[in-house]
Amino acid sequence: MGRLVALSLLGIALALLGERLLALRNRLKASREVESVDLPNCHLIKGIEAGANDIDILPNGLAFLSVGLKCPGLHSFSPDKPGGILMMDLKKENPRALELRISRGFNLASFNPHGISTFIDNDDTVYLFVVNHPEFKNTVEIFKFEEEENSLLHLKTIRHELFPSVNDIIAVGPAHFYATNDHYFSDPFLKYLETYLNLHWANVVYYSPNEVKVVAEGFDAANGISISPDKKYIYVADILAHEIHVLERHPNMNLTQLKVLKLDTLVDNLSIDPSSGDILVGCHPNGQKLFIYDPNNPPSSEVLRIQNILSEKPTVTTVYANNGSVLQGSSVASVYDRKLLIGTLYHRALFCEL
């Protein structure tokens, strides 16, 4: 009788594991392939060989790119080189990517930048917020951009227990921001277990010098975050749920969910087209290829444009798609004056004139 019970429990456990594995493959879109949607006048950006995970562009056309991200379990084309912040002046005819110098005292050797966001203060001071994973830990770094010197002055490192697995950030003040946690746990094994069991414990945190609090939760894997041009709404990409959440901001900085847009791809970072208010999304058509890297069958790329997201039927169009032959693992797309930058998780970056 005891053996029968043990066999029954084993069978139930194996069935549960099999069901969870199948569910994870579906969340990763493991069988999806894309047809190419090409853009004219595109070229790979010289000097970017190991990813440009996130991009933020100032109103004057200066683009910041976070490069060289390394994550446990993910491929890297430059595993021993620290990350950095590059800048491109999109007002120039042939913009080049230049690495910004960072002030002394900041630990460059362990710099591992992830999501980024800029904020322009009332006195025109430009602040750059960077999610950083030194030695795979979680911090937010605040820099002051010094344009004349092409440099970043490090102002502050922020650590907090509510930042166990920070992914992306949107600045709303000189020391104020919303940030996504793509997992509830910081331990790699517990992160894997959380993803495998589909616990939906990821969240969004608001930070200010006076208050830190969870303002939205219940995400599968909260990833990219952005803000509407009128500052009334926060957009959050839930990468494994294939969703973009529209959250309404309140005077106390809390967020309430207004709507959810379902998509057929893994949505990564979000950016806003300043000329239209449209949302541009860097996407992964097949997430399994990101984690099981095969140079003969590399991860593909996809960029979506979402128009009128607050309407009953937003318009979703494919701006760019590639099977990995040119660009592998697109994570972000940002536009300025008909110039488009597409970054990737760990590969190259693309510059296109629209």
Side-chain angles (χ1 to χ4, degrees):
M1 187 66 180
R3 291 181 179 179
L4 182 59
V5 171
L7 286 173
S8 298
L9 292 175
L10 179 61
I12 292 170
L14 291 175
L16 178 62
L17 290 172
E19 187 274 333
R20 288 292 85 197
L21 181 59
L22 181 61
L24 180 58
R25 281 181 52 82
N26 290 334
R27 288 155 65 208
L28 290 172
K29 295 284 180 182
S31 300
R32 185 169 180 244
E33 301 292 342
V34 291
E35 294 184 7
S36 291
V37 176
D38 295 320
L39 287 170
N41 306 317
C42 292
H43 66 265
L44 293 169
I45 300 172
K46 186 177 179 181
I48 299 178
E49 308 287 342
N53 177 77
D54 203 7
I55 300 169
D56 200 9
I57 306 175
L58 295 176
N60 64 3
L62 292 179
F64 298 91
L65 303 89
S66 67
V67 299
L69 174 67
K70 297 163 191 65
C71 296
L74 282 181
H75 181 74
S76 174
F77 286 102
S78 185
D80 299 321
K81 183 180 178 181
I85 302 294
L86 306 187
M87 186 183 73
M88 296 179 68
D89 187 348
L90 300 183
K91 300 188 304 297
K92 293 186 176 179
E93 186 173 346
N94 295 301
R96 296 184 301 141
L98 303 174
E99 185 164 4
L100 294 176
R101 294 184 296 106
I102 297 179
S103 59
R104 291 181 181 179
F106 181 75
N107 189 347
L108 291 172
S110 65
F111 193 31
N112 191 13
H114 200 165
I116 61 174
S117 180
T118 56
F119 180 81
I120 303 175
D121 211 348
N122 294 330
D123 61 0
D124 293 328
T125 300
V126 176
Y127 297 96
L128 179 68
F129 293 66
V130 182
V131 174
N132 186 22
H133 303 294
E135 299 175 350
F136 302 125
K137 295 180 175 63
N138 295 273
T139 68
V140 172
E141 313 292 347
I142 303 179
F143 299 91
K144 177 184 176 183
F145 173 53
E146 300 184 318
E147 184 172 356
E148 292 183 1
E149 291 81 20
N150 282 339
S151 65
L152 295 171
L153 175 64
H154 184 247
L155 301 178
K156 188 176 184 180
T157 295
I158 297 170
R159 300 177 180 87
H160 197 276
E161 61 183 7
L162 290 181
F163 295 143
S165 186
V166 192
N167 187 299
D168 198 15
I169 188 169
I170 186 71
V172 293
H176 312 68
F177 58 85
Y178 292 95
T180 57
N181 284 303
D182 52 29
H183 290 80
Y184 178 82
F185 296 108
S186 57
D187 178 79
F189 174 75
L190 292 178
K191 281 186 177 184
Y192 176 79
L193 194 62
E194 180 185 344
T195 300
Y196 191 79
L197 296 177
N198 195 10
L199 294 180
H200 283 254
W201 287 357
N203 59 32
V204 178
V205 173
Y206 171 73
Y207 177 92
S208 76
N210 300 318
E211 183 180 33
V212 187
K213 59 184 177 179
V214 174
V215 290
E217 53 191 341
F219 300 97
D220 189 344
N223 198 295
I225 187 169
S226 192
I227 191 168
S228 62
D230 60 10
K231 314 301 182 186
K232 292 181 179 180
Y233 305 101
I234 294 290
Y235 306 131
V236 176
D238 192 334
I239 186 168
L240 290 178
H242 324 130
E243 297 171 344
I244 295 177
H245 293 247
V246 180
L247 306 168
E248 186 174 5
R249 293 181 72 198
H250 300 286
N252 63 0
M253 298 303 168
N254 287 342
L255 304 175
T256 55
Q257 183 163 284
L258 188 65
K259 66 177 296 184
V260 179
L261 178 63
K262 290 274 189 179
L263 298 166
D264 189 37
T265 188
L266 280 73
V267 287
D268 201 323
N269 287 315
L270 311 172
S271 68
I272 307 301
D273 184 338
S275 65
S276 64
D278 297 347
I279 302 174
L280 289 171
V281 193
C283 304
H284 306 289
N286 185 324
Q288 180 167 288
K289 292 183 180 181
L290 286 176
F291 297 99
I292 305 174
Y293 185 77
D294 179 357
N296 298 313
N297 186 23
S300 45
S301 291
E302 185 175 35
V303 174
L304 301 180
R305 177 183 288 271
I306 300 168
Q307 298 170 283
N308 303 314
I309 193 168
L310 294 177
S311 67
E312 288 188 11
K313 293 185 177 180
T315 302
V316 181
T317 54
T318 302
V319 174
Y320 175 82
N322 181 261
N323 63 5
S325 59
V326 175
L327 202 65
Q328 302 176 14
S330 55
S331 57
V332 65
S334 295
V335 68
Y336 174 83
D337 193 23
R338 300 193 61 79
K339 295 176 181 179
L340 175 69
L341 298 176
I342 305 175
T344 65
L345 190 57
Y346 47 64
H347 188 232
R348 307 291 301 277
L350 201 65
F351 172 86
C352 302
E353 295 192 54
L354 302 176

